[in-house]
Amino acid sequence: MISGKTQVCGILAYPAEHSMSPRMQNYYAKMSGIDLAYVPFKTEPERLGEAVRGAYSLNVLGLNVTVPHKQSVMAHLKEIDPGAAAIGAVNTLVRMDDGYKGYNTDAEGLLRAMKKEKIGIAGRTCIMIGAGGAARAAAYILAREGAEKIYVLNRSVEKARGLAEGINRVFQKEIMTALPLDGWKQIPEQRCLAVQATSVGMYPDTDASPIAEAGFFDKLETAVDVIYTPAKTRFLKLASAAGAKTMNGLDMLIFQGIIAFELWNPGVRVSEETVEGARRLILESQ
Ligand code: ATR
């Protein structure tokens, strides 16, 4: 029931119609007993600054930000969390005095999902595939959580190099090395943690995998895919067949939303039962 005290949150997106966030966030509010309504705000790119200022004037408590605004929104914020600044993308705005502070909960969402599956990062050799937005968030988490070494493989090796240089600069060590997609053949380590962070293999292109050679999967102890439709991508199927532990991107999606909700509602911790409910909601609506 919306009252005079209801807090408003929403998502800035263009288009906004397909976003799962309104369903998820309103479910978290209901399950946590918080008087909060979350709505889609379809925002044209040229109106983004106006939208952020308008939301602040309207006392909007918090916003999620998604395609195509995750980078451009940074110019309209009062403050940016150092992690989000290092990643170069913001997906959550939290109201403060005088403006919004930007965070990247995609990165923390991936970490929470990996912790839940007991997938450790510290001391590991990691192989990331992709150098786009999702890959930037994943690279930051792997470096911050103490990976020993990160190889980033990408179709465009120039883009991988840009990502590796940025991460090496932020962490002030040569932790990340850029390679082309077939560069895995040069990687000497075994029992690696792989993170697939491209859109290759996503529905409806479910027969695709950015790498499909058996030799690659033999190097893996664990494989994470940021894709959640299908639940098991070809990449994860090949990894399973080679004996690796696998995780898809569904919990990353769920936890990025939960971490945003918890940032807007300090002191609130979404229960395990609610996390399970969110998973069912997403699976039902596919
Ligand atoms: P997102 O923000 O979802 O990560 P993005 O920034 O467009 O999306 O990045 C897409 C990633 O998927 C990139 O790493 C891209 O490789 P390039 O940098 O070489 O473009 C990768 N990608 C997309 N289609 C691909 C394909 N058919 N084969 C290999 N890599 C692909």
Side-chain angles (χ1 to χ4, degrees):
M1 182 70 93
I2 291 179
S3 74
K5 292 183 185 152
T6 304
Q7 297 267 25
V8 177
C9 287
I11 181 161
L12 303 181
Y14 193 79
E17 291 83 349
H18 304 293
S19 173
M20 300 288 273
S21 296
R23 281 188 76 164
M24 287 163 60
Q25 295 291 346
N26 286 306
Y27 176 72
Y28 302 147
K30 183 173 141 198
M31 298 304 284
S32 312
I34 289 174
D35 189 1
L36 184 155
Y38 184 105
V39 288
F41 292 122
K42 183 171 165 183
T43 308
E44 291 174 17
E46 51 278 19
R47 296 240 159 113
L48 181 63
E50 264 174 66
V52 173
R53 283 190 297 280
Y56 192 81
S57 303
L58 292 169
N59 198 36
V60 169
L61 174 67
L63 291 161
N64 282 130
V65 182
T66 189
V67 179
H69 305 310
K70 283 188 186 184
Q71 293 180 327
S72 44
V73 77
M74 296 172 83
H76 305 289
L77 304 179
K78 174 83 183 162
E79 196 179 328
I80 296 175
D81 168 70
I87 293 162
V90 156
N91 79 325
T92 300
L93 310 190
V94 178
R95 188 181 186 85
M96 338 186 292
D97 287 342
D98 257 9
Y100 290 105
K101 178 169 178 180
Y103 293 84
N104 189 311
T105 70
D106 291 329
E108 303 304 331
L110 174 64
L111 179 62
R112 216 191 269 192
M114 288 174 72
K115 280 190 172 158
K116 182 163 174 282
E117 290 301 307
K118 304 205 165 23
I119 298 174
I121 296 171
R124 306 277 304 264
T125 299
C126 304
I127 306 177
M128 283 202 21
I129 306 167
R136 299 176 74 85
Y140 171 78
I141 282 300
L142 295 177
R144 194 192 70 192
E145 296 299 311
E148 172 72 22
K149 172 87 211 150
I150 309 166
Y151 296 98
V152 54
L153 316 183
N154 197 48
R155 179 176 60 180
S156 148
V157 72
E158 267 316 302
K159 208 159 140 194
R161 216 166 272 143
L163 171 54
E165 281 167 9
I167 290 287
N168 290 342
R169 196 177 321 119
V170 167
F171 291 93
Q172 300 192 332
K173 56 180 173 182
E174 291 295 307
I175 187 174
M176 200 161 190
T177 301
L179 293 169
L181 277 181
D182 64 1
W184 59 267
K185 294 171 186 163
Q186 306 167 36
I187 299 175
E189 291 94 340
Q190 296 291 124
R191 302 193 61 74
C192 301
L193 163 62
V195 180
Q196 197 303 109
T198 75
S199 49
V200 181
M202 194 186 289
Y203 178 85
D205 199 12
T206 55
D207 288 337
S209 174
I211 299 176
E213 293 111 309
F216 170 76
F217 294 95
D218 287 341
K219 291 190 161 298
L220 309 187
E221 198 259 341
T222 313
V224 173
D225 200 320
V226 301
I227 295 173
Y228 60 94
T229 50
K232 199 140 191 179
T233 56
R234 176 144 186 252
F235 181 84
L236 290 187
K237 284 182 183 166
L238 290 165
S240 279
K245 176 183 168 82
T246 63
M247 181 188 111
N248 72 18
L250 182 59
D251 277 353
M252 176 182 176
L253 171 77
I254 291 173
F255 284 126
Q256 64 74 28
I258 287 177
I259 294 166
F261 183 81
E262 291 172 348
L263 283 168
W264 299 324
N265 300 288
V268 173
R269 187 86 181 175
V270 172
S271 72
E272 273 303 312
E273 183 195 355
T274 302
V275 174
E276 285 309 313
R279 192 173 292 118
R280 276 196 303 276
L281 263 185
I282 291 173
L283 294 175
E284 276 165 20
S285 63
Q286 275 173 16

